[in-house]
Amino acid sequence: MKEEQRLLLLQSSSLFAPPEGVKLSYGTAGFRADASILKSTVHRVGILTALRSLKTRSVVGLMITASHNKVTDNGVKIVDPSGGMLSQEWEPFADQLANAETPEALLSLITEFIEKEKIPFDGVQTAEILLGRDTRPSGESLLEAAKQGISSIFGAMAHDLGILTTPQLHWMVRARNKSMAATEPAYFEQISSSFRCLVELIPNETKSNKMDNRVVVDGADGVGGEKLEVLKNMLTGLVIEVRNTGKGGGLLNDGVGADYVQKEKVVPRGFGSNDIGIRCASLDGDADRIVYFTVSDNSSSRIDLVDGDKMLSLFALFIKEQLSILTKEGNENPNNNSQARLGVVQTAYANGASTDYLKQLGLEVIFTPTGVKHLHEKAAQFDIGIYFEANGHGTILFSEFWLSWLEARNNEFSLVSEGSEQQKAALRLLSVSKLINQAVGDALSSLLLVEAILQHKGWSIHKWNKLYQDLPSRQLKVKVVDRTAVTTTNAETIAVSPPGIQEAIDAETAKYSKGRCFIRPSGTEDVIRVYAEASTQESANSLAGSVAKIVDRFLGFGSSEQ
């Protein structure tokens, strides 16, 4: 490393002292903490993104957000060139950088890492980073810290894209590395025109059944509500009313947002008895999750939740139907390679009723450990892979190979059977691939895809919600001395250690009709999480409580808490 570069890094780092006694760890959400202690961390992540860009010789992203956390928190995460999350191989280095105690220790780490990773550091190779932030008041000063970190690496350029949803930044990084337009107007244009195409391809018999094309959306008083106000004016055939847009003085994620609605199963602020029966949806703080709901027809604040499992089921059903039309009898092409491998990826937390429904459709269902990175990686192994978590985070991935095949088939149809049902199916699938955000879960694109499919099928939210009935479930957590004493296998559904605990869980579970139960260690605290399902809520509660006692007996202090 040249002396000028060493001095620049030392000088820049000396302006941002790390908080004392705080150890941060880079996870799926990046670094997250109270915003007041994050400046040093964000500055160092700025350095890290510049190194990542140099290493990959590609554009990378840096997002300032804490998603569904309270407004006083903030966070920072890196977007890899694919539009996905930072490679797991770099996470330990991110931890080391964030926790280095002095500028000298930081410089030593960087020097070692550059050599180990063979990062081109000659001043010839340039680095390019796209920056975004959500609407949190702390975002602006943290973004400045990130810029200073980036500019402490020679040849690194930061492009500040202003206030964005997290999925918008992921989309833009992916687009930029594919040499496509990577601007907010380009994002809005792609998803609005794809939605328009799907609406135009709605069968005539459905169009005559006038369904309600209005949806009321809780914007969580965050960036999603702000962006949806722009997007809704670009749409035809859909009326969107946005509440909790952040403009009315409401506090971000305070009694609002997808996380609150999904966990508490109550109406968000600004919704009530006047909304009974209306199709409603809730975005989370940075608009990477969405859940639907209806206000129950009584005076309480309870809702009927339509979660990520139901969204996955709707998307899988629609795509399977279009694939069936595309490959139906009479397809005269003998070299037809259209049997797409369609797969669905879930975690053990997916409701058992949703898994049964998907298997009844004849779909291949795969389970992974909890965490978006596991789901995304597995979904990418299919021609079309769909993953969603119950919390409303997920997306659909289309392989480049299969999309190329589909484009070619569509061109063939244009020549020999223009306007045929098969061509319409091909066009619908191509539109879905452009509407959905293939980089990451995106509440805005998921919202439009749900709305397009409901219109296509002529379904109300009530009919959609009746695809299957969720099995009652209960989650508990048990405080333990050492969470690492529990190890699991088979996508976290079987406990391997301590010896004998799985047999005890199995014996308890067998007592309940439709019983299912698993335990897994928390990733962040010394607790073991218990998930139980059964045919009634009373049984699910009882099974969870019994298994919590088993965990207590094997590992705990003799105390369990909800």
Side-chain angles (χ1 to χ4, degrees):
M1 188 187 294
K2 290 178 180 171
E3 188 60 23
E4 306 98 299
Q5 176 64 86
R6 286 172 55 83
L7 288 171
L8 181 58
L9 273 168
L10 283 171
Q11 181 188 12
S12 183
S13 303
S14 65
L15 301 172
F16 296 92
E20 285 184 27
V22 177
K23 195 168 170 58
L24 293 168
S25 178
Y26 195 102
T28 301
F31 291 115
R32 243 179 233 184
D34 189 284
S36 64
I37 64 166
L38 273 178
K39 269 194 185 167
S40 157
T41 307
V42 172
H43 173 263
R44 292 170 179 197
V45 172
I47 296 169
L48 184 62
T49 50
L51 298 179
R52 187 71 183 152
S53 178
L54 289 171
K55 168 73 177 179
T56 58
R57 298 175 186 265
S58 304
V59 177
V60 299
L62 183 152
M63 185 72 195
I64 307 283
T65 183
S67 189
H68 52 272
N69 283 35
K70 60 184 184 289
V71 71
T72 51
D73 285 350
N74 217 324
V76 59
K77 62 179 179 178
I78 296 174
V79 181
D80 249 7
S82 64
M85 291 177 287
L86 175 67
S87 165
Q88 282 177 263
E89 291 163 9
W90 275 47
E91 287 181 8
F93 179 58
D95 290 354
Q96 289 175 332
L97 276 195
N99 296 309
E101 292 182 3
T102 65
E104 291 74 21
L106 183 71
L107 183 61
S108 173
L109 281 169
I110 292 168
T111 307
E112 273 177 45
F113 191 71
I114 286 165
E115 287 176 16
K116 174 176 159 264
E117 290 286 325
K118 298 183 173 57
I119 295 171
F121 214 70
D122 47 18
V124 177
Q125 178 73 29
T126 57
E128 197 174 340
I129 297 96
L130 305 184
L131 301 176
R133 65 181 177 93
D134 69 13
T135 53
R136 292 164 196 270
S138 57
E140 205 164 350
S141 65
L142 290 176
L143 202 73
E144 283 307 312
K147 285 179 186 173
Q148 289 192 48
I150 292 165
S151 60
S152 69
I153 300 292
F154 285 142
M157 294 177 295
H159 300 292
D160 184 355
L161 302 176
I163 290 174
L164 296 173
T165 71
T166 297
Q168 281 182 315
L169 185 70
H170 282 263
W171 185 94
M172 288 174 198
V173 170
R174 182 175 185 263
R176 187 82 167 68
N177 287 307
K178 285 174 164 279
S179 302
M180 292 156 53
T183 62
E184 189 173 47
Y187 167 89
F188 283 138
E189 174 52 35
Q190 181 168 315
I191 67 172
S192 61
S193 60
S194 306
F195 173 78
R196 213 158 33 242
C197 186
L198 284 168
V199 170
E200 285 165 4
L201 288 163
I202 289 171
N204 288 331
E205 57 270 27
T206 314
K207 278 181 185 166
S208 56
N209 305 340
K210 277 291 176 197
M211 68 162 281
D212 181 14
N213 67 348
R214 175 175 174 242
V215 61
V216 185
V217 181
D218 158 33
D221 280 318
V223 61
E226 192 176 293
K227 300 303 181 185
L228 193 53
E229 287 283 19
V230 178
L231 178 60
K232 73 177 192 180
N233 296 320
M234 302 174 72
L235 305 171
T236 50
L238 179 63
V239 179
I240 300 175
E241 179 191 336
V242 191
R243 298 182 193 165
N244 305 324
T245 62
K247 297 287 187 282
L251 210 55
L252 172 72
N253 295 330
D254 179 34
V256 292
D259 190 62
Y260 172 79
V261 169
Q262 190 243 342
K263 284 186 174 152
E264 301 299 326
K265 295 186 174 58
V266 295
V267 294
R269 178 170 23 86
F271 289 72
S273 55
N274 290 341
D275 302 308
I276 287 170
I278 293 172
R279 192 164 66 254
C280 302
S282 188
L283 316 179
D284 83 332
D286 65 341
D288 67 351
R289 296 184 191 179
I290 179 172
V291 293
Y292 272 76
F293 65 93
T294 53
V295 180
S296 303
D297 50 358
N298 57 38
S299 57
S300 78
S301 60
R302 305 301 292 173
I303 58 165
D304 290 319
L305 180 70
V306 186
D307 65 6
D309 292 338
K310 283 263 167 74
M311 288 170 63
L312 185 155
S313 300
L314 182 71
F315 293 168
L317 178 65
F318 179 74
I319 288 172
K320 186 174 188 296
E321 286 172 351
Q322 300 315 307
L323 288 172
S324 299
I325 296 168
L326 191 63
T327 59
K328 69 181 179 185
E329 291 294 323
N331 193 340
E332 63 294 332
N333 186 343
N335 299 318
N336 184 2
N337 186 29
S338 59
Q339 287 299 338
R341 188 168 172 232
L342 171 61
V344 171
V345 189
Q346 294 186 305
T347 72
Y349 283 105
N351 195 278
S354 76
T355 308
D356 289 345
Y357 172 77
L358 292 162
K359 286 180 175 173
Q360 283 162 18
L361 284 180
L363 293 169
E364 188 174 350
V365 183
I366 303 284
F367 284 88
T368 73
T370 306
V372 173
K373 59 185 82 171
H374 300 298
L375 291 156
H376 195 94
E377 189 180 309
K378 191 60 77 173
Q381 295 171 9
F382 293 92
D383 293 322
I384 307 172
I386 313 174
Y387 72 87
F388 265 82
E389 294 179 292
N391 63 22
H393 186 281
T395 191
I396 308 171
L397 304 181
F398 292 79
S399 76
E400 295 287 347
F401 175 82
W402 195 78
L403 279 179
S404 298
W405 176 87
L406 187 60
E407 291 274 11
R409 282 301 280 144
N410 182 49
N411 292 337
E412 282 177 40
F413 290 137
S414 299
L415 295 172
V416 298
S417 55
E418 180 80 49
S420 68
E421 287 308 309
Q422 284 175 300
Q423 187 189 23
K424 286 176 185 172
L427 286 169
R428 287 185 194 113
L429 288 166
L430 286 168
S431 295
V432 171
S433 76
K434 293 185 177 82
L435 171 53
I436 204 75
N437 189 334
Q438 292 192 57
V440 72
D442 184 336
L444 301 186
S445 64
S446 294
L447 172 81
L448 295 192
L449 185 53
V450 166
E451 293 299 321
I453 295 173
L454 291 180
Q455 287 194 31
H456 177 93
K457 298 185 80 62
W459 281 7
S460 66
I461 188 170
H462 307 289
K463 183 155 186 183
W464 171 25
N465 203 20
K466 284 180 183 161
L467 278 179
Y468 59 83
Q469 188 166 1
D470 279 327
L471 285 167
S473 65
R474 184 66 187 274
Q475 294 186 49
L476 299 176
K477 53 185 186 180
V478 185
K479 283 187 177 175
V480 294
V481 180
D482 177 16
R483 70 179 185 271
T484 63
V486 172
T487 58
T488 63
T489 187
N490 198 14
E492 301 179 317
T493 57
I494 305 289
V496 179
S497 65
I501 197 166
Q502 186 60 50
E503 289 76 6
I505 292 168
D506 290 344
E508 193 60 37
T509 305
K511 297 175 185 174
Y512 296 87
S513 168
K514 296 188 178 174
R516 180 171 77 95
C517 188
F518 65 90
I519 62 170
R520 57 180 285 270
S522 164
T524 54
E525 52 185 331
D526 271 324
V527 300
I528 300 300
R529 300 188 185 281
V530 177
Y531 178 90
E533 277 177 3
S535 56
T536 67
Q537 189 63 58
E538 189 181 2
S539 297
N541 294 350
S542 173
L543 175 56
S546 299
V547 170
K549 285 184 181 130
I550 291 169
V551 173
D552 237 0
R553 199 168 73 237
F554 275 80
L555 298 156
F557 298 103
S559 65
S560 62
E561 60 160 289
Q562 183 167 342

